[in-house]
Amino acid sequence: METAGYKLGSRGSMSSKVQSKGEKRAEEFGVGTGKGWGIFSLIIHPGVALEDSALGTPAAPLSFSQGPPSAVSTSPPSIGSKAKDHQPSAQESLPPLEANAEAIHFLNSLRQEELLMLFFSETLVMVSDAGEPQGELTIEVQRGKYKDQFGVMAYFPFVHAFSRGFMDKILCGNSILGYLSWKLEVVEQHNQEFIKFHVLPMERKMSLLKQDDQLAVTRIIKEGEEVKTEVTFFPWHSIAGFVSQAANLVLLRVMAWRQTVPSNARFLALDTEGKLCYSTYQGLGSQTIQVGHQQVEVFTVEQTVHSEQGIPVSCQFYLLSDGHLAKRIQVGSPGCCMITKVPILREEDDIEPHPAFEKKPLVWEEDMELYSRFVARKEELRLSHNSYLRQHPEAQALISDFLLFLLLRQPADVVTFAAEYFGPFAMRRPPTPALRSSNRPCPFHELEPEGLEGEEG
């Protein structure tokens, strides 16, 4: 059975309240309460989850064995009629949340060249507080090809992260698939989270899709055969400084690469109910941790999501200098995620400036090799010219006759005189009329047809 209820949510967004027996049962196992599920959640607030490759309405879960889709198409989700009839209450008309200037400035400072250095894949092992392995967490960031609703192809940062393991012998999983702009704005994102309870399996999905001037958020909760859906729309101008789950994974790498956390920055995020809330980051400095048989220095960042309907949830990220995640701890959750082997750290290539060579004047007369070539070539041309003139004595006679005629006439325009002198030798030039002294044509143009001349006369 599928039901959907809509109402105008707080802070001016359209949302719906979804209550489920599966969520209550999940709380009994520690889901969302910090009793163990935190090590499986890819975000610091458990419950917002995996993704499909389809847009708009969620579809079947992704296959982890496949790479990123070459293109993704878009289709807007539908809205129930109840959303139009609802009248907001006084509590629901509170002023909207806004990211502060520090957060927006930090996102605007991101450069494409910087993000390209952070494209890599990493895998962490999830362990319990007793040190027993519980599963794996894989995070992959690369450049992906995206196709928008107008069919335009573009390359964007592509994030694919997923975890899978057992908690109290119950199979759990979580995945994120998202396309981001080069300023880490969400273009499209799909999350999926599942808990395979023996009696009533539970699955939660969330899809984020940019549609023109708004962000469409679709949440689906499935408990057994029952499915509940909610759709929320946020005006795009109202979510400046919004950081999605996929963007958060890239943003942490940026902070590690820069070894800095934006001071007093207050970003926007979504809580477990799909409602806007604040997200903050705090730098905890550098420290040394043990990884296998090595000790490595890490940069620690603590992220806190301040949900308006619950207590703040924090997570600590221990990051290597190139952005690799060495360890992850959700505050209040036993166990953690950590690497078992130190990866090869990536470093930015130092590009040496091109050498500058000063232009020096070439005095070829002083260069023995160039002067020798000049003399040899000069002698070669002299011999070639003399040989040609000996083989064609008429050329010598023609040139001598022209020079003699030129000296006798001494015209003011030598070029025109030469053209008139050599004109009769042209093969395609028609013969000049005998009586044309009063209308001498230009020697550089063809004569006009005789028919036209007769008409003019």
Side-chain angles (χ1 to χ4, degrees):
M1 180 180 69
E2 182 174 354
T3 60
Y6 303 89
K7 71 172 184 178
L8 188 63
S10 61
R11 304 292 182 184
S13 64
M14 188 181 301
S15 64
S16 68
K17 182 182 294 183
V18 181
Q19 296 179 349
S20 63
K21 298 178 182 178
E23 287 179 316
K24 296 180 180 179
R25 180 173 176 80
E27 292 179 358
E28 297 176 359
F29 284 83
V31 178
T33 61
K35 296 181 181 178
W37 174 252
I39 64 173
F40 287 96
S41 179
L42 294 174
I43 50 178
I44 69 171
H45 39 85
V48 188
L50 176 73
E51 340 188 343
D52 341 290
S53 59
L55 298 178
T57 56
L62 291 172
S63 173
F64 297 138
S65 61
Q66 299 177 353
S70 60
V72 184
S73 60
T74 60
S75 61
S78 59
I79 307 177
S81 59
K82 295 183 180 180
K84 302 178 181 179
D85 302 332
H86 180 79
Q87 298 297 328
S89 62
Q91 183 179 0
E92 293 170 344
S93 59
L94 295 175
L97 300 178
E98 293 182 354
N100 60 8
E102 290 80 1
I104 297 176
H105 174 74
F106 189 82
L107 294 176
N108 290 335
S109 68
L110 300 177
R111 297 177 294 107
Q112 181 174 344
E113 298 78 9
E114 183 180 31
L115 296 182
L116 290 174
M117 294 295 299
L118 306 176
F119 286 6
F120 55 83
S121 177
E122 57 186 343
T123 300
L124 293 82
V125 177
M126 297 182 292
V127 296
S128 64
D129 52 352
E132 299 177 355
Q134 302 289 326
E136 285 188 346
L137 167 63
T138 300
I139 304 174
E140 181 181 9
V141 182
Q142 59 177 292
R143 193 175 73 158
K145 186 184 295 184
Y146 182 82
K147 183 177 182 181
D148 62 14
Q149 57 185 342
F150 303 105
V152 179
M153 303 293 294
Y155 287 97
F156 289 121
F158 170 78
V159 180
H160 184 201
F162 60 90
S163 64
R164 188 180 181 91
F166 290 89
M167 179 64 66
D168 295 332
K169 299 182 179 181
I170 299 176
L171 179 62
C172 307
N174 193 315
S175 178
I176 296 175
L177 178 70
Y179 286 91
L180 308 169
S181 72
W182 293 103
K183 297 298 182 182
L184 299 189
E185 297 174 321
V186 60
V187 177
E188 180 180 350
Q189 177 180 294
H190 301 277
N191 310 332
Q192 183 177 2
E193 179 181 18
F194 67 88
I195 310 173
K196 297 296 183 180
F197 292 123
H198 300 294
V199 179
L200 189 64
M202 180 180 174
E203 183 180 20
R204 290 191 283 191
K205 297 181 180 181
M206 176 179 285
S207 298
L208 282 69
L209 177 62
K210 180 182 179 182
Q211 298 178 343
D212 299 327
D213 58 349
Q214 62 183 2
L215 177 67
V217 180
T218 304
R219 293 182 68 237
I220 295 180
I221 297 179
K222 182 179 180 181
E223 305 163 9
E225 300 298 327
E226 183 179 4
V227 179
K228 296 184 179 181
T229 305
E230 71 173 21
V231 181
T232 308
F233 291 97
F234 298 98
W236 190 255
H237 65 84
S238 68
I239 58 171
F242 172 74
V243 176
S244 64
Q245 296 94 321
N248 174 61
L249 298 175
V250 182
L251 191 62
L252 289 167
R253 293 184 177 185
V254 174
M255 295 179 185
W257 184 263
R258 296 183 179 182
Q259 293 289 293
T260 183
V261 176
S263 177
N264 301 321
R266 187 177 67 243
F267 299 86
L268 295 179
L270 292 178
D271 61 12
T272 58
E273 299 299 323
K275 295 180 174 57
L276 277 181
C277 62
Y278 288 125
S279 175
T280 58
Y281 298 85
Q282 181 181 1
L284 302 182
S286 300
Q287 56 181 292
T288 302
I289 64 173
Q290 187 76 24
V291 177
H293 300 288
Q294 293 182 257
Q295 287 191 341
V296 293
E297 186 175 356
V298 294
F299 181 72
T300 308
V301 178
E302 182 177 76
Q303 183 197 8
T304 303
V305 174
H306 306 268
S307 176
E308 293 189 339
Q309 298 181 354
I311 62 174
V313 183
S314 300
C315 189
Q316 295 178 355
F317 298 88
Y318 299 79
L319 301 153
L320 300 178
S321 59
D322 66 342
H324 276 90
L325 182 59
K327 190 176 182 180
R328 175 187 178 279
I329 299 176
Q330 182 163 326
V331 178
S333 172
C336 64
C337 301
M338 61 185 304
I339 58 176
T340 57
K341 183 180 179 181
V342 179
I344 299 176
L345 299 182
R346 302 159 61 94
E347 296 181 357
E348 187 173 7
D349 297 332
D350 294 330
I351 302 177
E352 297 181 358
H354 295 288
F357 299 100
E358 296 181 1
K359 184 176 289 186
K360 298 181 180 180
L362 178 60
V363 184
W364 60 270
E365 295 90 344
E366 298 178 0
D367 189 291
M368 295 300 296
E369 182 178 359
L370 292 179
Y371 185 74
S372 176
R373 289 185 179 182
F374 168 76
V375 173
R377 179 59 177 167
K378 182 179 180 180
E379 182 64 18
E380 180 184 356
L381 292 175
R382 188 185 67 81
L383 295 176
S384 176
H385 296 165
N386 291 337
S387 175
Y388 180 82
L389 291 177
R390 284 195 302 269
Q391 295 176 7
H392 300 278
E394 66 276 10
Q396 184 76 25
L398 182 64
I399 295 175
S400 299
D401 186 57
F402 169 72
L403 290 176
L404 179 60
F405 196 43
L406 176 68
L407 294 175
L408 290 175
R409 293 291 184 90
Q410 297 184 0
D413 189 351
V414 178
V415 176
T416 302
F417 178 81
E420 293 177 346
Y421 179 84
F422 290 103
F425 295 95
M427 297 180 61
R428 297 182 179 180
R429 181 184 179 93
T432 305
L435 302 175
R436 296 197 59 182
S437 59
S438 62
N439 186 22
R440 299 183 61 184
C442 177
F444 300 103
H445 300 282
E446 296 183 358
L447 293 175
E448 298 178 355
E450 295 182 0
L452 296 178
E453 294 177 358
E455 293 178 2
E456 293 177 0

